[in-house]
Amino acid sequence: MIIVLKPGTKQEEIDKVVELIKEKGLKPVVFDGVERKVIHVLGDVRDETPNGIKSIDCVENVVRILKPYKLASKEHHSQKTIVKVGDVSIGNSDFVVIAGPCSIESEEQVMEAAKILKEMGIKIMRASAFKPRTSPYSFQGMGIEGLKILKKVREETGMLVETEVMDVRDVKIAAEHVDILRVGARNMQNFDLLKEMGKIDKPVILKRGMCATVKEFIMAAEYILANGNKNVILCERGIRTFETAYRNTLDLSAVALLKKETHLPVIVDPSHAAGNRDIIPALSKASVAVGADGLLIEMHPNPEKAKSDGAQSLFPHQLAQLLGELRPICNAMGKNL
Ligand code: PEP
Ligand code: MN
């Protein structure tokens, strides 16, 4: 960290800043510049809030040298993290497609979806029991009842299952019922939830908040990692921009950047980015090409009857077709699908 002092800063003011830095267990080194003095702060300052120092009167600016995240960064951990779920590995040379309905609506619906997916060779099914809906009058999900359905379908079909958790109080029970837990976009900075996710021994899919920067996204992953869970999968799902022609803007640059900056697997949810099934195949193909490790896609046995996100849910035959179209692109990228 470098502290830039205002021109004309008096020696006694410099001494105060130096003292403060020492009190924090860090080493200050003062440099005389032509126009102003700067203080280099040596030591691990990731847990220092530069704002505290920034608020000192004689300080003009504080420049961080170290990245604020450590556990998620490639600098700290150069080997790729490969998340294992049952016999599936995410983050290696396999391209993993996780698909299924937006919500759990009934046992029959989930069972039907699981059978369709299994037939296509998909091994992990998504389906949400807890639903973060914009309107309190929309379908709110089946809750714990839904988790039980998911577990039953898992046992009967052998499918691995993935679901969203919105509330800290549901983390434990969800972890007992499913193979992967998901933090939804709206909860990316629910820090208590992230801490709880850090304490379970199930992989976590962390979705990017629709208004979160890449740095904030990585810092959210850092919370889970710092609390002990190393099996974090990042998921880009589109961000809010001025564009209204689709639900969100899929930030493929973020996927490339996350792959460069972190060792964690990165998957893409084209469904919530698109909001409409028509452009999902194109977004999915682009995701493979940009280096994603997998996809999280909504597929409903009968999208017209879906209780949530029907318009963006693929019909079963569309998903089957998409898988066929993705294969040559995966091959070109050195990935197996
Ligand atoms: C979902 O995956 O069902 C969902 C609600 O997505 P997001 O959190 O990305 O909006
Ligand atoms: Mn949905």
Side-chain angles (χ1 to χ4, degrees):
M1 189 163 77
I2 297 169
I3 300 170
V4 184
L5 301 172
K6 286 179 184 162
T9 298
K10 296 197 183 82
Q11 188 57 46
E12 67 233 48
E13 290 176 300
I14 298 173
D15 292 345
K16 259 195 211 160
V17 181
V18 163
E19 214 36 58
L20 194 90
I21 293 165
K22 283 186 184 160
E23 274 171 24
K24 291 174 186 288
L26 301 164
K27 191 172 174 229
V29 185
V30 184
F31 287 89
D32 274 324
V34 180
E35 289 190 13
R36 62 193 72 203
K37 289 187 164 66
V38 298
I39 306 175
H40 283 215
V41 181
L42 308 180
D44 193 335
V45 287
R46 275 189 190 89
D47 59 349
E48 281 305 322
T49 45
N51 286 343
I53 295 169
K54 239 182 192 167
S55 67
I56 303 172
D57 241 6
C58 63
V59 172
E60 185 167 276
N61 199 9
V62 178
V63 185
R64 276 180 177 277
I65 307 283
L66 276 182
K67 295 192 172 126
Y69 43 85
K70 185 172 178 177
L71 301 177
S73 90
K74 236 183 207 167
E75 277 170 21
H76 171 80
H77 189 280
S78 59
Q79 266 188 331
K80 279 184 185 182
T81 288
I82 297 168
V83 175
K84 292 203 166 67
V85 201
D87 61 347
V88 179
S89 295
I90 308 174
N92 64 358
S93 57
D94 292 335
F95 189 80
V96 179
V97 176
I98 302 170
C102 180
S103 307
I104 298 165
E105 299 164 11
S106 68
E107 187 176 324
E108 296 68 42
Q109 171 242 13
V110 182
M111 186 62 86
E112 196 184 345
K115 285 181 181 161
I116 291 168
L117 295 168
K118 202 174 171 185
E119 188 81 2
M120 290 180 201
I122 289 175
K123 293 186 168 168
I124 311 176
M125 176 172 67
R126 61 149 290 146
S128 302
F130 305 103
K131 292 303 307 167
R133 305 306 300 278
T134 302
S135 166
Y137 308 116
S138 301
F139 175 59
Q140 300 288 305
M142 291 183 74
I144 307 285
E145 205 46 47
L147 291 181
K148 289 182 188 158
I149 291 176
L150 215 45
K151 190 173 184 186
K152 189 167 174 213
V153 172
R154 175 187 191 279
E155 282 162 4
E156 287 182 19
T157 63
M159 285 293 285
L160 297 161
V161 293
E162 183 265 15
T163 206
E164 174 166 357
V165 180
M166 293 162 55
D167 191 316
V168 188
R169 293 167 294 186
D170 296 323
V171 172
K172 203 162 163 270
I173 187 157
E176 286 163 9
H177 285 72
V178 304
D179 302 286
I180 307 177
L181 271 58
R182 179 184 350 124
V183 177
R186 289 156 192 81
N187 274 309
M188 190 207 82
Q189 284 189 317
N190 180 339
F191 299 114
D192 286 337
L193 183 61
L194 297 177
K195 285 178 193 165
E196 276 316 293
M197 290 292 193
K199 294 177 196 156
I200 55 165
D201 63 354
K202 292 278 164 82
V204 174
I205 291 181
L206 175 66
K207 284 190 148 191
R208 180 182 181 185
M210 59 195 87
C211 297
T213 63
V214 171
K215 191 158 106 185
E216 287 163 344
F217 187 20
I218 300 176
M219 290 305 284
E222 190 83 6
Y223 262 90
I224 304 175
L225 297 169
N227 279 277
N229 191 346
K230 305 293 174 226
N231 291 307
V232 178
I233 301 159
L234 302 172
C235 179
E236 161 62 35
R237 48 79 71 209
I239 50 172
R240 188 166 274 189
T241 66
F242 55 81
E243 186 53 72
T244 54
Y246 26 81
R247 188 168 172 179
N248 290 110
T249 300
L250 187 63
D251 186 3
L252 291 173
S253 305
V255 179
L257 191 60
L258 290 166
K259 289 297 295 179
K260 181 178 156 281
E261 281 290 307
T262 84
H263 51 85
L264 301 170
V266 182
I267 63 169
V268 171
D269 171 353
S271 306
H272 291 84
N276 185 307
R277 68 177 72 88
D278 296 350
I279 59 169
I280 289 173
L283 298 182
S284 303
K285 291 173 203 169
S287 302
V288 181
V290 83
D293 296 295
L295 292 168
L296 180 70
I297 299 192
E298 288 186 337
M299 185 285 309
H300 195 287
N302 197 342
E304 282 125 348
K305 291 198 177 149
K307 288 194 177 172
S308 61
D309 289 347
Q312 68 193 35
S313 299
L314 294 183
F315 284 89
H317 74 274
Q318 291 178 314
L319 180 58
Q321 187 183 333
L322 174 58
L323 293 177
E325 289 170 5
L326 288 174
R327 261 181 206 112
I329 306 171
C330 285
N331 288 342
M333 290 299 293
K335 293 261 190 193
N336 318 303
L337 171 63

